[in-house]
């Protein structure tokens, strides 16, 4: 069928990872006002409740490459959905600062993984002509997540369970991500990496690729899965500048302090 229904459906559900990343980044700014009323914490403890998500994200960023290669892009997103869900539920039921910190670190762990795995899944599931627009779903979802978190903060401000509801509502998109990924396929690239060529071909057909066999051969070339190929990886000097620019943009984005503004808005 000449349509992109499965492709857009997969991209939509995978983008819930970005939505969760944005939501759990922004929601703490409103919840923080009421957490202190419940636990009467000092400034340092409140600051750690905020920043422990970033600490968990560092750990998640360090291990995400292992998981996406070992268990696949789909199962890694499935895992992050479960972590987001558990972290949100634990936040809701936290009875002291330590429990809240541990719960937020679980969320941070998921955030660190999904920030890499989400765009990777979207990029690899997409045909070349749709790749740019579909990968941008993740970034759009992050900004929508931040917006939704502020709306939730506003609506829950006068509720007796204010901060618990604010943090706990992250379980809803997490549940959607987890359930939806149960029914999705992995990416053609990962299937080829694991030599599951039939499944790779099926996914390519489902995503409206007109020549799946040719695409599989192209993926094989980029993966260099030929065991008899002993050619060493060489540095392509043409890619140095794009690499530096890519890293530089990410660094400048964070170095401006926008995260601190979002956390304490």
């Amino acid at each position: 069928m000449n349509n992109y229904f499965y492709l857009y459906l997969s991209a939509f559900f995978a983008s819930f990872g970005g939505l969760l990343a944005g939501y759990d980044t922004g929601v703490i700014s409103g919840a923080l006002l009421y957490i202190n009323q419940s636990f009467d914490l000092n400034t340092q403890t409140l600051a750690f409740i905020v920043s422990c998500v970033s600490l968990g994200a560092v750990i998640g960023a360090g291990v995400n490459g292992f998981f996406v290669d070992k268990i696949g892009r789909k199962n890694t997103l499935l895992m992050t959905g479960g972590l987001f869900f558990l972290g949100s539920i634990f936040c809701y039921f936290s009875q002291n600062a330590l429990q809240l910190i541990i719960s937020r670190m679980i969320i941070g762990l998921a955030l660190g993984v999904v920030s890499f795995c989400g765009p990777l899944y979207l990029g690899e599931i997409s045909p070349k002509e749709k790749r740019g627009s579909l990968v941008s779903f993740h970034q759009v979802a992050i900004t929508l997540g931040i917006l939704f978190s502020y709306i939730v903060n506003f609506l829950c401000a006068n509720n007796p369970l204010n901060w618990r509801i604010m943090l706990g509502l992250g379980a809803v998109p997490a549940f959607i991500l987890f359930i939806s990924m149960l029914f999705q396929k992995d990416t053609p690239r990962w299937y080829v990496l694991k030599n599951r060529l039939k499944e790779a071909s099926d996914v390519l057909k489902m995503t409206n690729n007109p020549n799946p066999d040719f695409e599989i051969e192209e993926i094989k070339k980029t993966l260099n899965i030929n065991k008899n190929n002993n050619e060493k990886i060489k540095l392509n000097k043409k890619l140095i500048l794009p690499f530096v620019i890519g890293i530089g943009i990410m660094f400048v984005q964070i170095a401006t302090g926008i995260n601190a503004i979002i956390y304490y808005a």
Side-chain angles (χ1 to χ4, degrees), residues 77-143:
L77 283 174
L78 193 68
M79 179 184 69
T80 58
L83 289 174
F84 274 121
F85 182 82
L86 290 175
S88 299
I89 295 298
F90 289 163
C91 281
Y92 182 90
F93 289 104
S94 293
Q95 297 302 310
N96 53 55
L98 179 59
Q99 292 179 10
L100 189 56
I101 287 170
I102 294 173
S103 302
R104 295 267 297 160
M105 283 193 69
I106 293 173
I107 289 173
L109 182 65
L111 198 155
V113 175
V114 82
S115 295
F116 170 69
C117 184
L120 180 68
Y121 180 87
L122 290 169
E124 291 186 354
I125 201 75
S126 309
K128 295 176 181 178
E129 68 274 12
K130 297 285 184 180
R131 191 163 296 152
S133 59
L134 289 182
V135 172
S136 69
F137 274 24
H138 185 81
Q139 187 61 42
V140 172
I142 291 175
T143 55

Side-chain angles (χ1 to χ4, degrees), residues 241-260:
L241 183 59
F243 178 80
V244 172
I245 292 173
I247 297 296
I249 289 173
M250 295 174 67
F251 175 79
V252 171
Q253 179 186 10
I254 303 302
T256 55
I258 186 61
N259 281 24

Side-chain angles (χ1 to χ4, degrees), residues 10-11 13-18 20 64 67-68 71-85 110-111 113-122 125 138 173-182 184-187:
S10 298
F13 285 126
S15 296
F16 271 80
L20 283 158
N64 56 28
F67 284 109
V68 296
I71 65 175
R73 288 67 160 140
K74 167 197 164 178
N75 287 331
T76 302
L77 283 174
L78 193 68
M79 179 184 69
T80 58
L83 289 174
F84 274 121
F85 182 82
L111 198 155
V113 175
V114 82
S115 295
F116 170 69
C117 184
L120 180 68
Y121 180 87
L122 290 169
I125 201 75
H138 185 81
F175 181 77
I176 295 173
L177 174 63
F178 183 85
I179 295 299
S180 62
M181 293 311 298
L182 287 173
Q184 301 303 313
K185 301 287 187 181
D186 216 309
T187 68

Side-chain angles (χ1 to χ4, degrees), residues 72 207 216:
T207 53
I216 288 174

